[in-house]
């Protein structure tokens, strides 16, 4: 064994330290739409994790983020009634950013569509308000009793727009219009299609998310859904 300086060990240590810092910078960011905790021994979900500080003044909305490809985005003008409501939300929660909210809302939309198709009640329970969850759970139960399976795929998100916003005390509602290309079909026990089709269809869904801005739980839960 050579008595020289262990340069290779120092290099490995530097690489490991860099990776740890990168992971902390990514995993430390929360939008309130995170996947619920797993039940297989993985690390528990911590809703009290601190959110990053705001980069803008509480009374101002960040400028729209240009999107290179992907879904078209629409955030209301700050002078409009909806824009004013978003500014009031930001006044209570200085970390609120409509652009980041839309990022999280898209993730939640995809997660909920997928969880409903798979009958994943745990994920739905964490992301839906009680009344909405009751409707989803009832549909899943009926599907299971009939021996049916659901297949839902969000192939592309075409557009997302903040349609409405409201603040009552510290409880905020934000309504988002999603225009997406989806494949939705239901198959029976024998594998035959009983509803839907293999074809890609453009669908417009209008979902309202709600959160108490003073709560330690960062989750925006789905409280209302409708199709346009």
């Amino acid at each position: 064994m050579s008595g020289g300086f262990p340069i290779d060990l120092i290099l490995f240590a530097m690489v490991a330290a860099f990776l740890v810092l990168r992971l902390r910078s990514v995993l430390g960011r929360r939008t309130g739409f995170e996947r619920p905790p797993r039940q297989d021994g993985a690390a528990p979900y911590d809703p009290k994790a601190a959110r990053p500080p705001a980069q803008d003044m509480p009374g101002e909305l960040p400028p729209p983020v240009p999107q290179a490809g992907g879904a078209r985005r629409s955030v209301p003008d700050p002078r409009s009634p909806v824009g004013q409501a978003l500014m009031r939300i930001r006044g209570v929660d200085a970390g609120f950013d409509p652009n980041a909210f839309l990022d999280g809302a898209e993730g939640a939309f995809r997660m909920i569509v997928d969880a409903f198709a798979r009958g994943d009640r745990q994920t739905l329970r964490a992301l839906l308000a009680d009344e909405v969850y009751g409707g989803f759970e009832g549909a899943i139960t009926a599907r299971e009793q009939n021996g049916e399976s659901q297949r839902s795929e969000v192939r592309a998100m075409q557009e997302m727009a903040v349609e409405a916003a409201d603040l009552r005390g510290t409880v905020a509602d934000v309504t988002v219009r999603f225009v997406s290309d989806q494949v939705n079909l239901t198959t029976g026990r024998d594998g035959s299609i009983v509803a839907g089709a293999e074809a890609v269809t453009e669908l417009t869904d209008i979902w309202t998310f709600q959160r108490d801005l003073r709560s330690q739980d960062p989750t925006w839960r789905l409280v209302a859904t409708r199709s346009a």
Side-chain angles (χ1 to χ4, degrees):
M1 177 180 294
S2 170
F5 201 68
I7 298 296
D8 54 343
L9 294 180
I10 294 177
L11 290 175
F12 283 133
M14 292 175 63
V15 171
F18 172 76
L19 292 176
V20 168
L21 290 173
R22 289 291 295 171
L23 284 172
R24 289 182 64 184
S25 69
V26 173
L27 297 180
R29 298 173 185 171
R30 309 191 65 82
T31 62
F33 290 100
E34 285 78 7
R35 187 175 292 277
R38 294 171 56 184
Q39 301 298 321
D40 56 2
Y45 168 63
D46 180 11
K48 297 183 180 180
R51 286 176 294 164
Q55 300 299 317
D56 303 275
M57 295 297 293
E60 301 175 354
L61 292 178
V65 177
Q67 300 295 312
R72 297 185 301 275
R73 301 222 179 161
S74 178
V75 174
D77 187 297
R79 296 167 296 183
S80 68
V82 178
Q84 290 291 311
L86 293 176
M87 290 179 65
R88 290 196 297 275
I89 292 173
R90 189 170 175 81
V92 176
D93 180 0
F96 178 76
D97 176 353
N99 298 295
F101 179 87
L102 284 177
D103 284 338
E106 178 180 0
F109 180 87
R110 292 176 179 273
M111 197 184 303
I112 292 169
V113 169
D114 175 68
F116 174 70
R118 293 186 295 105
D120 181 354
R121 292 176 172 84
Q122 179 186 347
T123 295
L124 295 175
R125 176 72 278 179
L127 294 174
L128 310 183
D130 291 344
E131 184 176 350
V132 177
Y133 175 78
F136 276 57
E137 200 280 333
I140 291 172
T141 297
R143 198 170 65 206
E144 291 172 344
Q145 292 174 345
N146 292 331
E148 298 173 344
S149 299
Q150 176 76 24
R151 175 185 162 200
S152 295
E153 299 176 14
V154 179
R155 294 291 181 86
M157 186 65 68
Q158 299 295 342
E159 182 180 357
M160 292 184 296
V162 176
E163 292 261 301
D166 189 25
L167 180 65
R168 301 176 308 283
T170 61
V171 177
D173 289 352
V174 180
T175 299
V176 180
R177 174 165 50 87
F178 299 95
V179 180
S180 62
D181 292 337
Q182 296 188 35
V183 172
N184 286 286
L185 58 93
T186 304
T187 55
R189 296 180 188 275
D190 59 357
S192 61
I193 297 176
V194 297
E198 291 278 0
V200 176
T201 304
E202 181 180 283
L203 300 175
T204 299
D205 295 280
I206 299 175
W207 288 11
T208 299
F209 298 94
Q210 184 179 91
R211 177 174 176 261
D212 186 337
L213 303 178
R214 294 303 189 195
S215 171
Q216 292 296 317
D217 185 349
T219 305
W220 287 82
R221 285 184 168 79
L222 183 63
V223 298
T225 66
R226 63 185 175 91
S227 299

